[in-house]
Amino acid sequence: MSLTHSNVSIKDALINADYRPLKIAIIAHSLYPIAQPYAGGLEMITQLLCDELVARGHKVLLYAHKDSQTQATLIPLMTREQFDALVYDNEHDAVGMSREDMYQYLVYQQALGDIIARDNRCEIDIVHNHSLYHVPMLVGQAFGKRFFTTFHTPIFPHLRLALLTLKQGTTTQFTAISAHQQQLFDEFVPSKVVYNGIDVDSFRANIEPIDDEVYFWYGRICPEKGTHLAMQYCQAAGKRLIIAGPESNQQYFDNEVAPLLAADANKENGEALFNYVGHLSKEQINNYLCQSTAMLFTSTWDEPYGLTLAESLACGTPVIGFDVGAGAEIITKETGIIVAKCDEPAFIKAFEDIKDISRKACRQRAEQFCSVAAMVDGYIDLYRQAVSSESPIANVASKAHSVTFNNHYTQGDNSKNKQRVI
C-alpha cells in the first residue's frame, strides 16, 4: 500500500515538506533601519539573514523601520508620525506608560496582527522574532513551534517580563547566538545555539605574515569596551597601536583615552605608539586589519557574540582578547590567544606568542564557523523541523523518505539526491 495523505502522493509530499521554499516573517528591532551604515550588529545580522534566505529562494517578509534596505519584501512598521496621529498627546499617561513604551507596544501589536492575518491565509510558515520586545514573544504563542525568538542581548526588562510569562509554559522556540548567551537564558526557557554570521566573502584577507609589527583596536569607545586597557598594555610593552571607532561615551574618551593619546604624542623620547584614526568605514577597517599583527579585544563585559572577532578572522588577523562572553567560543588556540579579563602580564606575553598564529587558519575559521551561510543553515534546519512537526503532510513525507532511503540502501542505489532549496 502506498503512503498517501488526503490524496497527496509520496512524491508531492516530499516536494512540499523537503524541497519547497519557506514563507518566513522576520520581525526586526523597530528603532533603527535595517540598512548601512548599521546602528549596530543586530541590524547587520537581520539584513544578512533576510538577504541570504531570499538568495536561497525563500519568500521573506521583513517587518522593520520604513527606511530599511533588504532583498526581502519590506513591511514597514508603524512610524512615529502614524503613532502620533493614532493616539492623543497624553494617551500614554492614561494607561500608565511612557510614550516611547506605548509606541513600541502598538508597533508590534500592529505587526503581529498583520502576521496572524497572513497566517490565516496560509501565507506564513515561520515567524522569526529579533525585536528585543515582549509583545512579539507573548503574542507569538499563537504560532506554537513555528515561532522563534533569537536572544541577542542581556536580559533587559521587557525581555524579562516575557520570559517570566513563558517560563510557565510555551511551545514557541528560542535560539541564542552563543553557548554563553544560552546559559544566561536557561533559567527561563531552553534555547538552541545558532551562532551569528558575517559576510566573510565581503572581507579581503591577508594570509601572509606581517613584517611591520603593529596592532589594531576598533569598536565603540566606551568603558565596557576597555579601549584604555589596550592602550596601557601596548604602552607597557612598547607596541604600536592603531585605534578606530566613534567616541560613543564622551566622558570616558575625555577622561581615559584622550590623556593617554596626549601623553604619547608629547613624550620627549621615542616614536609615538598611538594613532587614533576616528570612525572608519568597513573598507577602511578591512585595510587596517590586513596590515595588523593582531586585533586587540579588551571588552570588559560579557558580549553575547563579538562581531569584531569574526571580522578580524575574516581578514586573516589573529586576536588577543579577554575571556569574556563568547570570546573563547569564536577564537580557538589556532586563531588567537585568550587571556583572563584584565590580566596585563598574560596580555603582554601574548604579544610575542601571537606571531606564531597562522593567518590562513584565521581566514579558514571565519569561512567555516563565522559565515552567513553557516548561520542560515542553522536557522533553516530549525525552521524545517518546526514545519515538519506541525504538518501532517510533512510527517507522511518523512515516513516516505525513510522508506525510499532504506530501499535505496538495501538495493545499492547510488543515485544522486535531488537538489533542494535549503
Side-chain angles (χ1 to χ4, degrees), residues 92-108:
H92 55 287
D93 291 330
V95 296
M97 301 172 72
S98 70
R99 193 161 184 83
E100 178 63 24
D101 201 26
M102 188 176 190
Y103 168 64
Q104 297 290 323
Y105 182 86
L106 291 178
V107 161
Y108 290 114

Side-chain angles (χ1 to χ4, degrees), residues 269-288:
N269 299 317
E271 178 186 4
L273 297 176
F274 304 143
N275 181 17
Y276 174 51
V277 293
H279 192 187
L280 303 181
S281 68
K282 176 182 174 180
E283 179 62 27
Q284 290 171 319
I285 288 170
N286 195 161
N287 289 336
Y288 276 114

Side-chain angles (χ1 to χ4, degrees), residues 41-260:
L42 176 55
E43 287 74 27
M44 182 189 76
I45 292 299
T46 305
Q47 186 182 63
L48 291 175
L49 172 61
C50 289
D51 289 356
E52 178 68 10
L53 287 169
V54 171
R56 297 191 187 196
H58 300 287
K59 182 177 180 180
V60 182
L61 303 176
L62 173 61
Y63 290 78
H65 189 286
K66 67 179 180 64
D67 295 330
S68 298
Q69 298 173 4
T70 178
Q71 297 300 312
T73 298
L74 177 64
I75 310 295
L77 293 171
M78 180 189 296
T79 66
R80 294 185 184 275
E81 292 76 17
Q82 290 170 330
F83 169 73
D84 289 338
L86 180 67
V87 303
Y88 295 119
D89 290 344
N90 62 347
E91 191 86 60
H92 55 287
D93 291 330
V95 296
M97 301 172 72
S98 70
R99 193 161 184 83
E100 178 63 24
D101 201 26
M102 188 176 190
Y103 168 64
Q104 297 290 323
Y105 182 86
L106 291 178
V107 161
Y108 290 114
Q109 289 286 9
Q110 183 186 72
L112 265 296
D114 185 75
I115 293 172
I116 290 172
R118 291 176 185 270
D119 187 56
N120 289 337
R121 300 193 298 268
C122 298
E123 297 175 7
I124 301 289
D125 293 316
I126 293 292
V127 184
H128 195 164
N129 170 39
H130 298 265
S131 70
L132 311 182
Y133 199 70
H134 66 285
V135 166
M137 294 173 68
L138 298 178
V139 179
Q141 294 190 87
F143 296 88
K145 294 180 180 179
R146 297 184 296 123
F147 189 93
F148 291 84
T149 291
T150 294
F151 299 129
H152 292 273
T153 63
I155 303 177
F156 295 139
H158 285 301
L159 289 178
R160 182 174 290 273
L161 175 62
L163 290 168
L164 287 170
T165 302
L166 299 176
K167 184 178 182 179
Q168 301 176 54
T170 183
T171 57
T172 59
Q173 301 193 63
F174 307 90
T175 67
I177 59 176
S178 65
H180 177 270
Q181 185 79 338
Q182 181 187 48
Q183 294 170 5
L184 182 66
F185 285 84
D186 268 351
E187 174 187 353
F188 299 96
V189 292
S191 60
K192 296 180 180 178
V193 175
V194 178
Y195 288 97
N196 277 340
I198 63 170
D199 185 2
V200 174
D201 291 341
S202 71
F203 288 89
R204 177 175 47 84
N206 175 19
I207 60 174
E208 300 300 324
I210 300 296
D211 294 328
D212 186 21
E213 184 180 8
V214 63
Y215 297 89
F216 187 56
W217 185 101
Y218 75 108
R220 291 182 297 108
I221 298 179
C222 55
E224 61 269 24
K225 296 291 187 178
T227 320
H228 72 290
L229 296 174
M231 298 173 72
Q232 289 173 359
Y233 300 161
C234 284
Q235 188 176 56
K239 305 297 183 182
R240 290 185 294 143
L241 178 66
I242 297 170
I243 304 157
E247 301 169 24
S248 64
N249 185 311
Q250 195 62 51
Q251 183 178 5
Y252 171 75
F253 183 88
D254 293 342
N255 293 343
E256 301 291 343
V257 176
L260 290 172

Side-chain angles (χ1 to χ4, degrees), residues 326-337:
E329 298 175 52
I330 301 169
I331 304 301
T332 64
K333 60 181 173 52
E334 291 80 22
T335 59
I337 299 173

